[in-house]
Amino acid sequence: MPQLYLGLMSGTSIDGVDAALVDFSGSHPRLLDCQTFPFPSSLSDELHQLCAPSENEIELMGRADRAVAEVFAQASLQLLKDNYVRPDQIKAIGSHGQTIRHIPFGEHSFSLQIGDPNTLATLTGIDVIADFRRKDIALGGQGAPLVPAFHKAVFASKSQSRVVINIGGIANITYLPKLDSDDIIGYDTGPGNTLLDVWCKLHTGQNYDEKGQWAAQRSADPELLQLLCNHPYFSVPRPKSTGREQFNLAWLEQNLGCIARQIDPQVVQATLVMLTTHTIAKQVLQFKDVEQVYICGGGARNEFLVEELESELHECELFTTDELGVEADAVEAMAFAWLAYANVNKIQGSVASVTGATKGAVLGTFCSGRE
């Protein structure tokens, strides 16, 4: 009998929500469908505004919290309708929410996601598990990255050590040693698509550089690349996580201002691709026993970025997670379906060695939709 869950994920790029329908009745979770539903442009603008200090933040956040939940609910119900599934057939929704601030260091560190789970539960009539990060933070962790536990459950091999690279707005890696070891390692490597997307939008009007075609026409600027690679985050030891708070347009423009010449915007785009691939590859190459590397996230569809990464990881075989039966674009949304399944079945959803918490924990807060 099917055990159906929905996973909802809205990432750093703030372009919409990925919704995944997953069946957990077999020995491995099975993805039935995954679709992306865009945010209305006005809501997207508000969410971008909330990612940095601004006027009247609390009211803006409160209203956006409900608005995001409404988009999530519409996405959930549409995905179910498209698959001829009724809401009462879904065990629970795992909702990541939309991160608007991630400050994982210092006293009273926090990570804040909006997309009110009570509104989502009420509009769908489905139980919702949300707020996955704060339990880990309460236990001394950074609340991120959360996908490594799912990567282990779905992608680990007993015969080969693997690395999974998720290239969303921020890039993260998970090292999965063979022999079913608990010693998995995962952390954010730095920017993935976030700078690429914002720079492309600024100079071409397009939301992203499709297949990396714009960047592929030029070469990186070595001086700018070196300046960007000097960001202190790259030398911080793990466990670590990051976000738009550190890697944003203002930071990029500050570095451009340190160079006493104009750099063509297309050259900057090519340099940002190299920043992403160089900082990822440097971390992957630490794991000497890895021969297979699997890429997921939106960056897996950037052909130029993947080619550059393949060049830097030439000793490894590079695949997308499609080769392991999970569409690269669907991995994160599927992970939050799994985190909901883990909550319902009292399975630890965090890995202390990844987040820096004192121990692993069952993650998420329950909101009933059945009442």
Side-chain angles (χ1 to χ4, degrees), residues 220-230 259 271-272 274-276 278:
D221 184 282
E223 185 182 356
L224 176 60
L225 180 60
Q226 185 57 56
L227 270 177
L228 298 176
C229 286
N230 287 340
I259 297 176
T271 307
L272 292 174
M274 292 303 294
L275 173 68
T276 293
H278 180 69

Side-chain angles (χ1 to χ4, degrees), residues 17 57 224:
V17 56
E57 278 183 286
L224 176 60

Side-chain angles (χ1 to χ4, degrees), residues 290-357:
V290 170
E291 295 177 358
Q292 294 182 331
V293 175
Y294 293 88
I295 309 176
C296 57
R301 307 304 182 205
N302 185 321
E303 293 176 3
F304 177 53
L305 189 154
V306 172
E307 285 169 13
E308 292 299 322
L309 191 56
E310 200 163 20
S311 173
E312 296 203 44
L313 296 174
H314 55 85
E315 293 179 7
C316 303
E317 288 185 290
L318 205 61
F319 309 95
T320 67
T321 55
D322 296 52
E323 296 287 328
L324 297 175
V326 181
E327 289 176 35
D329 291 337
V331 172
E332 280 205 294
M334 193 173 174
F336 282 90
W338 180 83
L339 282 164
Y341 167 82
N343 178 284
V344 168
N345 292 279
K346 303 303 178 224
I347 298 167
Q348 289 190 2
S350 60
V351 181
S353 62
V354 168
T355 63

Side-chain angles (χ1 to χ4, degrees), residues 20 26 48 68 80-81 91 135 199 268 276 280 290 295 331 341 358 366:
H48 279 283
V68 168
L80 295 185
K81 184 179 178 182
K91 186 79 174 173
K135 180 64 178 257
W199 189 257
V268 175
T276 293
I280 291 172
V290 170
I295 309 176
V331 172
Y341 167 82
T358 54
F366 175 84

Side-chain angles (χ1 to χ4, degrees), residues 161-174:
S161 295
R162 294 171 168 171
V163 166
V164 179
I165 304 170
N166 176 60
I167 308 176
I170 297 296
N172 56 65
I173 63 169
T174 305

